[in-house]
Amino acid sequence: MALAEQETAPIANSRNGRSGSVFRSFGSLFGSQNNSDRPQTPQDGDGYVEFGMQDPERNGRTLGTFAGVFSPVALSMFSALVFIRVGYIVGNAGLYITLLQFLIAYGILLFTVASVCAISTNGAIEGGGVYFMISRTLGLEFGGSIGTLFFFANVVGSAMAISGCTEGIMDNFGPGGHFVSGDHTLLDGRWWRFLTSSLLNTLQLLVCLVGAALFAKTSVIILATVTVSLFATYISFLAVGPTNNTIPVPDQNNLSKTLSFLNYTGLNANTLRDNLGSHYGVDYTSNGKPVDFSTTFGVLFSGVTGIMAGANMSGELKNPSKSIPWGTLSAVAFTFVSYIILSFLMSCTTPYYTMQNNYLFLLPVNLWPPFTAIGILTATFSTSLSNLIGSSRILEALSKDQVFGSLLNFVIHGTWKGNPIAAVVVSWCLVECILLIGSFNIIAQINSVLFMLSYLATNLACLGIELTGAPNFRPLFKYFTWHTCLVGLLGTLIMMFVINPIYASICIILCLILVIALHLFSPATQAAQWGSISQALMFHQVRKYLLMLDPRKDHVKFWRPQILLLVSSPRSCCPLVDFVNDLKKSGLYIIGHVKLGDFKGVEDAEENQQWWTFLDHMRVKAFTEVTLSRSIREGVQHLIRLSGIGAMKPNTIILGFYDNEAPRDFFQNGSSPYKTDDFNNGEIQNFPIRRDGDPKQFQVQEYVQILCDTLRMKKNLCLCRNFQRLDKNFISMSNHVKFIDVWPINVFNPTSGDPFDMVSLFMMQLAVIMLAKWKHLRVRIFLCEASDERTVDTFETQAPQMEIFSKVKLEQSLKELRITADIVEIQEWSRDTDFSRHARTLKQFTAQADNVLLEDDDEVGEETMNRSLLYMQRANQIIRERSDQTALSFIYLAAPPKLATPDFAQRSASYMELLTELTAELPPTILVHGVSTVTSTTL
């Protein structure tokens, strides 16, 4: 088979590829309830929008900073905590610990907000909020897994807020409620509370079905209501004096019953002194579960996790890049000040045992109790609604991105007028399931851990992209560094385990499982379109370590093959490409290809994609290098000299064998394990191969010149033949195939000298590498004793001594090299006198290897060539008779004729003709010529 088509030959493809410019136009990646029909906006390859190209209001984006970000963030951060759980925290942890916990929580939030602001101001933000930012920064695997957990975090947050709302309703309108008397009360109990929560959940479902815009438009009014109620509470602390027996103590076993009443001191220095330290007790809503630092912090953090509420509404914002940073930061500052004031006033006016035993003590001490009731109901219900809307939008974004394939297609089909009805219903069902837990404080801990994991991912995304130093990372928000990202990341990770190590471990494990599952099963197109920060980080690290890899420090002990495989067409060389992937031994593997033609007008972007697709199809760990040249020889020189980078340069060049066999198309062969239609484009075939009758791209003389060039550049050389017969599956399963054969004799010039030279040791090294892949095989080394011309007449007395000497030396060498092999003795070269004399006729072909200059009259005559062919046919017979159980043979390759030889063309043809006879009808065979030391016997 000719070099251009055989399994490895460097190839020329004279067909000029055509590829037009690729234009991509992306519309909005995610829809929302108001923007499903908006016109698409052009984006560049990085996904950044050309700002100012369209009117936001025409695009369905109608919300500004205050209504779209500040209001939902502030409402979510107040949630149920502000009216019904701050007293629980202060009463158990004390003022000092409470302030510390707020500082820790808001410190984490502040660093995370900085990361959110940095990412959100670095490009266009579409629907999906945090999920959008993480997936477009960290990539599909991490983005999809964190987005999924963030979806569940919003679901749990919605259930937690509903649970707090139910608690407020029962304390106000249930047995012993402040706004009912006699028997006209709501029924109370575990299942009655679940029913109430379900009704509230259904109510918010109806609101979501009407549309999130309704909630967004009313969020300002709701926030104003909560703020008025909160200020009324502040005034009440300052205005209401001491009262006795006004605050009821609920029964832990039946919250509808009152055991006793508690006192309220008003502003009192002694009360403040008593409340400074911690007084951990039990939680009467969780069957007397003990309270400690972790439980109070878990409840506190769950109440302030609303910093993403504005980002979740990114699909409805006029200018997300501006609104998200300033709206979120101002809401964080506003709620922080509000909580600090509330905690201090509680510590000054309410005994700790009162706060421990009634979480809704604010109601009876308010100047007008309905203020507190209204604040509780509006804050909790609005928070629940915000989380439900956020979860549905995240689920919609996951489905549109096809993160889980067709599994979530029903969400896309279940969208009506931009409102993801199916996503809302799914979120509503999951909220119902979480409500079965019952206890607000237990739900709060789960909620905190899930939100912290999403915050951790957000900080990780910003940290990673900052460390890569990517030129396109130019956020408008400047108040962050990699230090803030790292502090936020470590803070969230530590506090996750402080809150509940079991919940934290489960969430992280689930996240890793999702990452692995998405990596294995998710479509690769999204990853290519979005980009992945892992690619940028790997580039950063690889560049650094490549600079540290110093070729001057190479040592033979750590040698490994770094291979450049030259191929004509992938269609004809699939078995060899697969085989060399095993031979590389974790070393560099480059597949090289030469195209014939001129540089002018060649567009190779599309062809490069085809080569990468080929690597994916073959599942090999390799790189590809394609060069353009006026001749195959020149192109191969380019590849050998320029392939690789730094110290990672090829040291072994592998080519196919130059013969007249027609190439096989392994892409079209029905029995081939490499069969595929991916490289057929209608009637046009990618990677075309030579058909029967077609002329070769180059002649045998140029092929031999390539061999000479390879050795002159000090590269190990391997020629592969008959690899179209290689069947790795058959070798691994067959009991008949047992050996890897090594023939360490220079068939062109067999002598009685040392047969274990550099070439032979290189062959043994390669054989041992393949033995590690085919562990059930054994290595056979054939000891071929030969007589030189001085000992032909006396070989009968000399040969036995030479055999003993050579076998002992071989055994000793194998022992020193730690190679386990069977030694098989071959007598023909020394016992057959005619055979030995025919061998000496090949001396002219070894001149280059032995540095012997040929005489002018030393020509390759017809008679000499015939005797040489007879000799090669006999050598081939010797090898073939012993190859019945052979999977792979390594044979010594004699150096080709010198380029300066006057009759180089004739000698080249004779050289290849002899190699063809030598390897005819053999198993897959590698002709090897090594030029460097590859084995070591020292430590």
Side-chain angles (χ1 to χ4, degrees):
M1 186 179 295
L3 172 65
E5 299 83 26
Q6 175 59 327
E7 43 278 295
T8 61
I11 300 332
N13 184 350
S14 59
R15 179 177 61 88
N16 290 331
R18 296 173 56 191
S19 61
S21 301
V22 180
F23 295 94
R24 291 185 297 174
S25 177
F26 294 91
S28 174
L29 293 177
F30 303 104
S32 65
Q33 71 283 356
N34 291 323
N35 59 3
S36 61
D37 299 324
R38 66 176 182 260
Q40 292 183 335
T41 53
Q43 295 183 358
D44 63 13
D46 295 326
Y48 294 109
V49 172
E50 295 182 12
F51 296 104
M53 294 296 293
Q54 58 180 335
D55 186 357
E57 293 187 1
R58 288 186 179 181
N59 207 21
R61 298 172 178 265
T62 59
L63 299 179
T65 301
F66 189 81
V69 181
F70 179 86
S71 295
V73 170
L75 282 173
S76 296
M77 295 186 72
F78 279 145
S79 66
L81 180 65
V82 67
F83 290 111
I84 64 175
R85 281 301 184 270
V86 174
Y88 159 81
I89 298 169
V90 175
N92 284 281
L95 180 61
Y96 288 154
I97 300 298
T98 300
L99 295 179
L100 175 63
Q101 290 183 348
F102 272 114
L103 288 174
I104 294 174
Y106 272 84
I108 293 174
L109 293 178
L110 189 62
F111 292 130
T112 304
V113 168
S115 299
V116 171
C117 295
I119 297 175
S120 64
T121 59
N122 190 54
I125 301 296
E126 300 295 334
V130 175
Y131 159 71
F132 183 91
M133 291 187 286
I134 295 176
S135 62
R136 270 45 174 189
T137 305
L138 289 183
L140 177 65
E141 295 90 348
F142 280 98
S145 57
I146 296 298
T148 302
L149 292 182
F150 190 58
F151 161 73
F152 284 111
N154 278 271
V155 168
V156 175
S158 180
M160 182 195 73
I162 286 182
S163 178
C165 187
T166 300
E167 189 174 319
I169 291 175
M170 287 302 175
D171 280 10
N172 289 317
F173 301 100
H178 297 280
F179 302 106
V180 295
S181 60
D183 296 331
H184 302 286
T185 64
L186 296 176
L187 296 176
D188 198 1
R190 175 180 173 83
W191 292 107
W192 286 110
R193 292 196 174 213
F194 175 73
L195 176 61
T196 304
S197 298
S198 299
L199 292 175
L200 291 172
N201 192 25
T202 304
L203 176 61
Q204 70 174 359
L205 170 65
L206 296 176
V207 175
C208 288
L209 293 180
V210 172
L214 178 63
F215 166 71
K217 293 175 181 177
T218 59
S219 63
V220 176
I221 300 175
I222 298 173
L223 177 62
T225 303
V226 173
T227 304
V228 169
S229 300
L230 182 59
F231 275 96
T233 302
Y234 293 161
I235 295 172
S236 298
F237 280 129
L238 300 175
V240 176
T243 59
N244 295 322
N245 300 325
T246 57
I247 303 175
V249 179
D251 187 353
Q252 294 183 12
N253 298 320
N254 188 349
L255 299 179
S256 62
K257 294 182 179 180
T258 299
L259 296 180
S260 60
F261 291 89
L262 300 171
N263 297 329
Y264 172 77
T265 65
L267 292 173
N268 189 297
N270 293 329
T271 302
L272 175 61
R273 188 183 308 111
D274 292 339
N275 286 332
L276 292 178
S278 58
H279 305 85
Y280 293 112
V282 297
D283 180 11
Y284 69 84
T285 65
S286 303
N287 298 321
K289 182 179 179 181
V291 178
D292 54 19
F293 180 92
S294 61
T295 55
T296 55
F297 184 79
V299 172
L300 182 149
F301 195 84
S302 68
V304 296
T305 53
I307 60 171
M308 303 298 191
N312 290 341
M313 301 295 290
S314 56
E316 287 77 38
L317 298 175
K318 292 180 180 179
N319 189 346
S321 297
K322 177 181 178 182
S323 298
I324 291 176
W326 299 114
T328 304
L329 287 171
S330 57
V332 167
F334 173 68
T335 55
F336 177 74
V337 173
S338 300
Y339 278 126
I340 296 300
I341 295 174
L342 186 61
S343 300
F344 183 76
L345 291 177
M346 283 184 178
S347 301
C348 292
T349 59
T350 311
Y352 68 85
Y353 54 84
T354 299
M355 292 185 283
Q356 285 180 347
N357 291 284
N358 191 317
Y359 301 154
L360 280 82
F361 71 92
L362 292 178
L363 200 68
V365 302
N366 202 296
L367 288 174
W368 190 54
F371 269 134
T372 303
I374 293 172
I376 292 173
L377 298 181
T378 53
T380 54
F381 187 76
S382 63
T383 299
S384 177
L385 190 57
S386 175
N387 282 327
L388 185 65
I389 293 172
S391 63
S392 64
R393 295 308 183 269
I394 295 171
L395 185 61
E396 180 192 22
L398 289 169
S399 64
K400 287 188 174 183
D401 282 345
Q402 294 287 298
V403 171
F404 296 99
S406 60
L407 182 64
L408 297 178
N409 280 351
F410 71 94
V411 175
I412 301 176
H413 300 314
T415 301
W416 183 68
K417 291 186 177 180
N419 193 13
I421 296 176
V424 173
V425 173
V426 171
S427 302
W428 175 83
C429 293
L430 292 175
V431 171
E432 280 291 301
C433 296
I434 302 298
L435 288 173
L436 290 171
I437 296 176
S439 173
F440 175 93
N441 291 350
I442 294 176
I443 298 176
Q445 292 188 52
I446 301 174
N447 180 66
S448 295
V449 170
L450 286 171
F451 270 104
M452 277 195 165
L453 186 59
S454 65
Y455 296 165
L456 184 149
T458 305
N459 285 299
L460 178 63
C462 191
L463 175 64
I465 196 171
E466 172 71 6
L467 290 180
T468 61
N472 279 322
F473 186 59
R474 298 185 297 270
L476 300 178
F477 183 84
K478 303 297 183 182
Y479 303 101
F480 83 101
T481 65
W482 69 267
H483 303 88
T484 62
C485 302
L486 182 61
V487 172
L489 188 152
L490 295 177
T492 52
L493 181 63
I494 294 172
M495 297 314 297
M496 278 175 61
F497 286 91
V498 170
I499 292 173
N500 193 307
I502 296 177
Y503 294 163
S505 301
I506 292 174
C507 288
I508 292 176
I509 292 172
L510 287 176
C511 182
L512 293 177
I513 292 175
L514 284 171
V515 168
I516 296 172
L518 291 176
H519 177 73
L520 295 177
F521 302 112
S522 61
T525 54
Q526 269 78 5
Q529 291 176 1
W530 302 346
S532 175
I533 197 170
S534 60
Q535 296 294 311
L537 288 172
M538 283 189 287
F539 177 87
H540 184 268
Q541 292 301 110
V542 167
R543 183 193 66 87
K544 181 174 70 174
Y545 286 114
L546 274 175
L547 292 172
M548 297 171 61
L549 194 61
D550 190 346
R552 295 169 296 183
K553 298 179 181 179
D554 283 346
H555 195 280
V556 67
K557 290 187 295 185
F558 309 111
W559 180 91
R560 66 180 70 244
Q562 303 199 87
I563 298 173
L564 171 61
L565 172 63
L566 300 171
V567 302
S568 57
S569 171
R571 289 179 177 273
S572 61
C573 64
C574 293
L576 185 58
V577 170
D578 197 7
F579 168 80
V580 176
N581 188 59
D582 295 334
L583 185 66
K584 71 179 186 301
K585 190 63 176 178
S586 300
L588 178 67
Y589 181 17
I590 300 175
I591 299 176
H593 175 74
V594 178
K595 292 180 62 177
L596 288 179
D598 295 325
F599 181 75
K600 181 180 180 181
V602 174
E603 298 179 2
D604 58 357
E606 183 178 351
E607 184 171 356
N608 287 337
Q609 290 293 330
Q610 294 171 4
W611 281 97
W612 285 107
T613 303
F614 170 70
L615 297 182
D616 293 338
H617 171 65
M618 294 297 298
R619 297 182 179 179
V620 296
K621 299 177 180 178
F623 303 96
T624 59
E625 287 286 353
V626 180
T627 189
L628 186 68
S629 177
R630 293 184 178 86
S631 70
I632 299 296
R633 181 186 179 188
E634 182 182 349
V636 171
Q637 291 174 350
H638 295 167
L639 291 174
I640 295 176
R641 293 174 56 208
L642 302 178
S643 293
I645 184 171
M648 296 188 66
K649 289 282 192 177
N651 56 30
T652 303
I653 312 301
I654 300 181
L655 300 90
F657 196 80
Y658 190 98
D659 57 23
N660 294 318
E661 293 185 23
R664 278 179 63 184
D665 189 345
F666 288 94
F667 290 168
Q668 298 298 311
N669 192 314
S671 61
S672 169
Y674 312 105
K675 187 177 185 302
T676 179
D677 293 324
D678 294 344
F679 302 97
N680 295 329
N681 185 12
E683 297 181 356
I684 301 176
Q685 284 188 340
N686 298 324
F687 307 127
I689 61 174
R690 180 179 64 86
R691 304 299 179 183
D692 280 340
D694 292 344
K696 294 179 180 293
Q697 295 286 343
F698 60 103
Q699 301 302 317
V700 64
Q701 179 180 349
E702 187 174 2
Y703 179 82
V704 178
Q705 288 173 336
I706 291 173
L707 305 186
C708 296
D709 293 339
T710 301
L711 297 179
R712 290 171 63 193
M713 285 187 273
K714 303 300 181 183
K715 305 294 183 182
N716 302 310
L717 177 63
C718 296
L719 307 183
C720 298
R721 191 181 188 191
N722 300 325
F723 269 81
Q724 71 275 10
R725 304 177 184 176
L726 181 68
D727 189 337
K728 292 173 59 177
N729 293 331
F730 176 76
I731 293 174
S732 61
M733 295 185 296
S734 174
N735 294 323
H736 178 73
V737 179
K738 298 179 179 179
F739 303 110
I740 298 174
D741 292 345
V742 177
W743 294 83
I745 182 172
N746 186 350
V747 181
F748 278 60
N749 186 25
T751 66
S752 59
D754 183 6
F756 314 114
D757 58 5
M758 191 178 295
V759 177
S760 301
L761 292 176
F762 182 56
M763 283 194 292
M764 294 180 193
Q765 183 78 292
L766 296 180
V768 172
I769 290 175
M770 290 311 303
L771 190 63
K773 294 292 182 180
W774 295 334
K775 298 182 184 297
H776 64 291
L777 303 184
R778 291 185 59 82
V779 174
R780 286 193 304 183
I781 299 178
F782 289 90
L783 180 57
C784 306
E785 292 299 335
S787 299
D788 59 25
E789 55 187 322
R790 294 186 304 272
T791 60
V792 168
D793 297 329
T794 59
F795 76 93
E796 293 182 354
T797 59
Q798 297 289 335
Q801 297 180 7
M802 290 161 53
E803 289 174 9
I804 295 175
F805 173 79
S806 298
K807 184 175 182 179
V808 171
K809 184 174 182 180
L810 176 58
E811 291 175 343
Q812 181 63 30
S813 298
L814 294 178
K815 183 178 180 180
E816 292 176 355
L817 294 170
R818 292 87 62 201
I819 296 176
T820 302
D822 300 331
I823 300 176
V824 180
E825 299 182 59
I826 302 297
Q827 306 293 335
E828 277 80 349
W829 268 275
S830 59
R831 296 295 176 87
D832 189 332
T833 307
D834 292 335
F835 185 48
S836 300
R837 287 196 177 98
H838 287 323
R840 293 197 302 277
T841 64
L842 298 179
K843 181 179 179 182
Q844 60 267 36
F845 296 113
T846 63
Q848 180 172 341
D850 297 333
N851 291 321
V852 177
L853 295 177
L854 296 174
E855 301 295 336
D856 293 339
D857 58 351
D858 194 4
E859 298 180 354
V860 185
E862 181 178 352
E863 180 180 355
T864 300
M865 188 62 193
N866 289 336
R867 283 188 295 170
S868 299
L869 288 174
L870 290 175
Y871 166 72
M872 281 300 178
Q873 290 170 1
R874 175 59 180 150
N876 172 263
Q877 180 183 0
I878 294 172
I879 298 174
R880 193 170 64 248
E881 288 173 351
R882 291 160 177 80
S883 300
D884 180 58
Q885 297 178 306
T886 299
L888 178 68
S889 294
F890 291 94
I891 298 178
Y892 195 116
L893 174 65
K898 286 186 175 182
L899 289 172
T901 304
D903 54 346
F904 179 79
Q906 180 184 358
R907 292 181 181 275
S908 298
S910 301
Y911 176 78
M912 290 306 302
E913 187 176 357
L914 293 173
L915 289 179
T916 302
E917 290 294 336
L918 176 64
T919 56
E921 302 300 326
L922 292 182
T925 301
I926 303 181
L927 296 165
V928 180
H929 192 97
V931 297
S932 58
T933 303
V934 298
T935 57
S936 174
T937 59
T938 60
L939 291 176

